[in-house]
Amino acid sequence: MPQATATLAPPAPAEGARPRTGSAFAPLLRTVKEQGLLERRTGWYARGITANLLGLAAVITGMTLIGGSWWVLLLAPLLAIASARTAFFGHDAGHAQITGDRRGSRLIQLLHANLLLGMSQEWWNDKHNRHHANPNHVDKDPDVAAEILVFTQKQAGGRTGFRGRLTRHQAWLFFPLTTLEGIALKVYGFRAVFSKEAGARQSRREHAVEGLLLLAHVVGYATLLLTVLPLGHAVVFALIHQMLLGLHLGMSFAPNHKGMEMPDGQSGERWGHLHRQVLTSRNVRGGPVTDWFLGGLNYQIEHHLFPSMPRPHLRLAQPLVRAHCRSLGVSYTETGLIDSYRQALTHMHEVGEPLRADA
């Protein structure tokens, strides 16, 4: 492959960071660029997006043809799978993996996130970029903030009432709760876009476009269901679709960081980019089926080191990253899919232990 033209510099080390750990990433970055792994794969994405849009169209056509029969519910899982692919393409566009053109990336993400999923791309980008900057950081990563679920025993301390009961049993409740993730993403996005504080990072026109596309999603989704299905069928179909979408996304996100290192203010400041990303992330072994099911997020270490790397190149970069980590004596965590869930749920179970002991 020709030398990559894209550039990707690691975030600047935090003040007081050790130069040795901060420079550990530079040789790996140079090797990856020399092998062309940061070059865009526009054709690969064009084929994937086209196939997914055709899949969505096929499901909608099937819903129209089957109409009032309860057999139409068999299409809800297929729509959930296609919706998850849509989310993965939106995620990749947000990282500029598909195209280096900012306007093009925004257009692709608006189509997939706002219009097709009803999720705010600006809200997601802000939250997700903060996660990538400080993954699993107790104070800086919004993905491990203490909300419904908690991820440290310090966060669990003092939780009483309903939240306390949730925390005591959160490992058992994790996957049932993920069935609400698809709806939650919509709620958070709508709240961010239509709140009084919204629009600070966007122009007025960009903000208006995003809001209109969110409304178009709701109107289009409701119109589709209520036009081609009886009311009862439509309600059940929507519940199955949204719950399975949430579960699918939860199963894709769960293995990535839960149960891995969780730096705080002190340890986080000492780590450079490579240590910060590798020590907090977990890869999932598997072949093409795993890559497809998890949307490439099974290469979480490589994705965090090189966020703009196209999805099909992550598996090619993995041997380079693994060997580099081995040469530095940096722990590189990789496990099977089932074991990744076991590790994540075990960590969440241990977090709730003090509350169970006091119950």
Side-chain angles (χ1 to χ4, degrees):
M1 283 186 176
Q3 184 173 346
T5 57
T7 59
L8 178 66
E15 185 176 353
R18 297 177 182 176
R20 181 180 62 82
T21 58
S23 63
F25 179 64
L28 177 62
L29 174 61
R30 184 166 54 250
T31 300
V32 165
K33 290 176 67 175
E34 288 173 351
Q35 297 200 15
L37 297 180
L38 294 181
E39 291 183 346
R40 302 307 195 283
R41 290 287 299 274
T42 307
W44 186 92
Y45 276 108
R47 291 190 296 272
I49 290 173
T50 300
N52 189 59
L53 291 176
L54 289 174
L56 287 170
V59 172
I60 293 172
T61 301
M63 293 170 62
T64 304
L65 294 176
I66 295 174
S69 170
W70 285 104
W71 288 105
V72 75
L73 299 183
L74 294 178
L75 295 177
L78 297 180
L79 185 58
I81 291 172
S83 296
R85 306 304 108 201
T86 301
F88 293 145
F89 285 125
H91 166 269
D92 292 2
H95 281 296
Q97 294 177 19
I98 301 175
T99 173
D101 178 65
R102 181 180 179 275
R103 182 173 297 180
S105 295
R106 173 177 164 79
L107 181 62
I108 295 171
Q109 196 176 28
L110 283 171
L111 169 66
H112 287 80
N114 291 61
L115 183 60
L116 295 180
L117 291 178
M119 183 185 76
S120 164
Q121 64 92 26
E122 177 61 24
W123 167 80
W124 169 258
N125 286 346
D126 174 66
K127 178 177 181 289
H128 198 57
N129 288 340
R130 286 187 285 131
H131 158 71
H132 266 265
N134 292 282
N136 250 22
H137 194 289
V138 176
D139 303 314
K140 299 179 180 180
D141 184 356
D143 286 358
V144 295
E147 295 180 350
I148 299 299
L149 302 174
V150 295
F151 304 97
T152 68
Q153 291 189 350
K154 182 178 179 180
Q155 290 176 335
R159 285 170 74 99
T160 59
F162 178 68
R163 290 195 171 221
R165 290 192 292 274
L166 278 178
T167 301
R168 285 197 294 271
H169 307 291
Q170 64 177 5
W172 295 98
L173 295 172
F174 177 77
F175 283 115
L177 286 173
T178 61
T179 61
L180 303 175
E181 183 68 15
I183 298 173
L185 290 173
K186 292 176 173 59
V187 172
Y188 290 142
F190 267 82
R191 189 168 63 187
V193 169
F194 294 102
S195 67
K196 293 181 180 180
E197 296 79 17
R201 293 176 298 274
Q202 296 177 299
S203 69
R204 183 174 298 181
R205 181 176 181 276
E206 289 175 334
H207 184 68
V209 168
E210 185 166 15
L212 288 173
L213 288 175
L214 289 180
L215 293 175
H217 168 81
V218 173
V219 172
Y221 187 67
T223 300
L224 169 67
L225 293 178
L226 296 176
T227 300
V228 304
L229 305 177
L231 179 59
H233 294 59
V235 171
V236 177
F237 187 98
L239 285 174
I240 295 175
H241 171 219
Q242 296 299 328
M243 291 175 69
L244 290 181
L245 170 60
L247 180 62
H248 191 344
L249 294 178
M251 293 179 71
S252 303
F253 299 153
N256 300 344
H257 303 283
K258 292 174 178 58
M260 298 302 295
E261 292 278 356
M262 297 192 68
D264 54 20
Q266 295 182 343
S267 60
E269 296 298 322
R270 295 196 302 266
W271 291 353
H273 178 65
L274 184 136
H275 290 71
R276 184 182 303 118
Q277 306 299 337
V278 174
L279 296 178
T280 60
S281 303
R282 177 193 294 112
N283 274 17
V284 176
R285 284 191 295 268
V289 174
T290 303
D291 293 358
W292 175 85
F293 179 71
L294 298 181
L297 298 178
N298 45 312
Y299 302 105
Q300 191 67 196
I301 294 174
E302 288 72 28
H303 171 57
H304 263 259
L305 287 172
F306 308 99
S308 65
M309 179 178 288
R311 195 192 310 174
H313 287 175
L314 294 172
R315 66 179 182 84
L316 303 177
Q318 185 181 34
L320 303 176
V321 175
R322 187 191 292 117
H324 186 68
C325 289
R326 186 184 301 118
S327 70
L328 295 173
V330 176
S331 178
Y332 181 100
T333 302
E334 184 179 27
T335 187
L337 182 61
I338 301 302
D339 192 53
S340 71
Y341 295 139
R342 182 192 63 79
Q343 292 181 27
L345 295 178
T346 297
H347 170 73
M348 298 180 69
H349 185 72
E350 292 172 350
V351 168
E353 176 60 33
L355 292 183
R356 291 193 299 275
D358 295 339

